[in-house]
Amino acid sequence: VVFKVPGETNTDDLSPAQEAWSRPDIPQHAKAMLVSKMPDGLATIAKLKEKGLPLAYVGDVVGTGSSRKSAINSVQWHMGEDIPHIPNKRTGGLVLGGKIAPIFFNTAEDSGALPIQCDVQGMNTGDVIVIRPFEGRVTNEAGETLSTFDIAPVTLPDEVRAGGRIPLIIGRGLTTKAREALGLPPSDLFIKPVAPKDTGKGYTLAQKMVGRACGVTGIRPGTYCEPKITTVGSQDTTGAMTRDELKELACLGFSADLVMQSFCHTAAYPKPVDIKLQHTLPEFMSSRGGVSLRPGDGVIHSWLNRMLLPDTVGTGGDSHTRFPIGISFPAGSGLVAFGAAMGSMPLDMPESVLVRFKGTMQPGITLRDLVNAIPYAAIQEGTLTVGKQGKKNVFNGRILEIEGLPDLKVEQAFEFADASAERSANGCTVRLNKEPVAEYLRSNVALLEKMIEDGYEDPRTLRRRIEKINAWLGNQDLLEPDADAEYAHVIEIDLNEIKEPLLACPNDPDDIKPLSAVVGDKIDEVFIGSCMTNIGHYRAAAKVLDDAGLIPTRLWIAPPTRMDESELREEGAYSVFGRVGGRTEVPGCSLCMGNQARVADKATVFSTSTRNFDNRMGKDARVYLGSAELAAVCA
Ligand code: SF4
């Protein structure tokens, strides 16, 4: 039976940030599913269940936004099947979407659900449909075809039978080992991934990075592989679920070289349940060899990026785990736990979209404008649409590969990588020269040394990482894409053509417009913060605000790390923020996630944060996204 949620369902609709504290308690958390998006949604589900048939979650665009295992947990709780002898958790379930965001798709796969991308325009709530996975058809009760689809990846039926991709990989591995030990031939029980044809062409940067992590020169798109995972990030609002998944995997020590845990989402205004986690999770992680940050240290990515090794592969339980050097494939907490425990993760290598910048950056244009220029260019050429019905998104599920700005600082490169999450891209690479990478790594060694000195656990992991960074610094070498590498699509952006700031408009990170198109809209609140910022943004904002006097808006300032905070205090930027009436917050995610302090209901906001989904920052808030400089001007 179809349960249809028209338009876009993001993971915050399924697993609201304000209810993040209850995520490890699946039945409790599931009560919050769709409360804002569709207040009568759960009552409708209960009614549809009376038909006695399985329910399918159907939407035009499903699962955009954060990498929330809790989102799929909630869908499965309402629409899945019981797992014998396991209370408070379910498996199975059907998700049909015109577009399904890649991380959500993977998380559904990992959890034993059947995600299908197909045209859903002919399906409505209450319809009885028949899904024929092996024929690739959805029909109505009369047998008329409503939609067709390809089962992808081909191993999906095995994954569903095994109760998820992770149990399948483990079961397949154990079967192989057991049969080898018994002298039996390989099992023919499992569907084998089919390798795509080798085109003989060169490889992109991402294909080479993943290739190196698999011990080969490159990996073609469509190839199933299991790259070595070198760095893993876990944040606090998914950390408890990752912990539970690690327990299920009986993980007593991490195989991934570095696993880091942060407390950036709950540091500012913790609930008792957050405090409990802050007290217990560090020991859980560090006793397995992980590195645990402390509440108030700052945003996960601003720290994790400083522990990276060039040209390596990683993952993280936060959808913005997007390495500015190397490549990361963010994932739900099940896969993150798997990557941390096993030191490798399953990957169906995505295709790549190349974005090439050329020309010269114009005066008054910031890097954030260039970040917004990517979807803007795609909208103009028709490969990205803002409307949700029949949405086009050339980046969806692909790797965004960026070149043409090789001298960016690594912090700046992260602005591009970070925003690839909003494009629903699977990953991102930024092609940089060796000099900015080496400069960044040298300062990172000093930071990691200081962490050891300050008693951060586990010092052996930090020491090992310092040695590896130093080894790279002693032999500086970066992978480069081949000239004849193949891309699914190429977008060229001429910097000479970008002459005014570009903003993401309320409430869609894809809805990019030039400033002149929205000028005059009254701004109530301004947020300067999130992982999209670095210290330079606060310096620039302080400069703009210096002579402003008392400002008429509510201004929130939350630097990404405590080091930035103390530096900005020393430099006098905080005195400017205080003088104009700004509210300075604990370094961390702050308003960006909206799970703690929030803007006023219905406020119009200008924010430097990552995404402006409905109700994320405040109830019925209208949120523009743009540069810190423009934020200060708006304030
Ligand atoms: S600052 Fe925002 S986007 Fe970045 S990690 Fe925190 S909540 Fe996620």
Side-chain angles (χ1 to χ4, degrees), residues 264-265 299-301 318 320 418 530-531 588-589 592-593 610 616:
C264 43
H265 293 64
V299 180
I300 173 171
H301 312 301
D318 184 284
H320 289 96
D418 204 15
S530 94
C531 50
C589 299
C592 179
M593 191 186 174
T610 50
R616 181 173 166 105

